[in-house]
Amino acid sequence: MISRQELMEQPRKPAVPTVEQIMHEKPQVSREEVQAQQQAKDFVRRNAREATQVKPRVSSAGSSSSSRQQASHQAGEVPAYLVQRKREMAEQEEERKRQEELAKIPAGMAILPEDQRLETVQGLREKYVEIH
């Protein structure tokens, strides 16, 4: 264990400077001087020069994302997943409408197929003609 005396003899860190000390040490730069330095730089011209010096990137393995997209999808065509999704949505809508129609039918009644319905109507008309 370190004694108190040994602790006191160890060198200390320098004290944190006060605001006044910092203000006196740094030379004051006026806002006008800073703006003049910034205006001296022509960022537009510098960016234009740097843009012309940039070399185009070479893609690895000769395949780019645009060529991969062209292989799976041609311009002007609807992608297959969208066609399939549209078909599924239409089927769901048809099923929903069919279920609504079935819900409207009172209990104990049923919808006849079209050919059976026509036969029944024809038979009823014949009976009506016989009776009247």
Side-chain angles (χ1 to χ4, degrees):
M1 189 174 241
I2 300 175
S3 69
R4 185 170 176 91
Q5 183 64 29
E6 290 173 344
L7 271 175
M8 297 298 281
E9 292 174 0
Q10 288 183 352
R12 300 179 116 191
K13 292 181 183 178
V16 176
T18 63
V19 174
E20 290 82 20
Q21 291 172 343
I22 293 173
M23 296 301 283
H24 290 295
E25 290 176 9
K26 288 188 178 181
Q28 293 292 326
V29 179
S30 68
R31 179 175 287 187
E32 292 81 20
E33 291 175 0
V34 172
Q35 288 176 350
Q37 290 174 356
Q38 290 175 346
Q39 288 177 355
K41 295 180 184 179
D42 189 355
F43 292 106
V44 174
R45 191 170 284 161
R46 188 178 96 193
N47 287 342
R49 185 176 6 85
E50 289 175 358
T52 58
Q53 294 174 353
V54 173
K55 295 181 182 177
R57 295 180 184 172
V58 178
S59 62
S60 61
S63 66
S64 66
S65 63
S66 62
S67 66
R68 277 185 260 133
Q69 183 178 3
Q70 288 178 354
S72 64
H73 174 71
Q74 294 296 323
E77 291 182 5
V78 178
Y81 77 94
L82 289 177
V83 173
Q84 180 182 359
R85 179 69 179 135
K86 189 174 182 179
R87 184 180 26 214
E88 289 172 358
M89 289 173 59
E91 289 172 1
Q92 288 174 354
E93 182 65 20
E94 288 175 15
E95 179 64 22
R96 185 187 63 78
K97 285 182 180 179
R98 192 175 67 76
Q99 291 297 331
E100 283 180 1
E101 290 297 321
L102 289 176
K104 291 179 183 178
I105 300 172
M109 295 190 173
I111 295 180
L112 296 175
E114 188 64 23
D115 57 342
Q116 191 176 0
R117 185 186 72 81
L118 291 174
E119 285 179 22
T120 305
V121 169
Q122 183 63 30
L124 290 171
R125 284 186 181 154
E126 289 173 2
K127 288 282 190 184
Y128 181 77
V129 170
E130 286 179 17
I131 297 174
H132 293 292

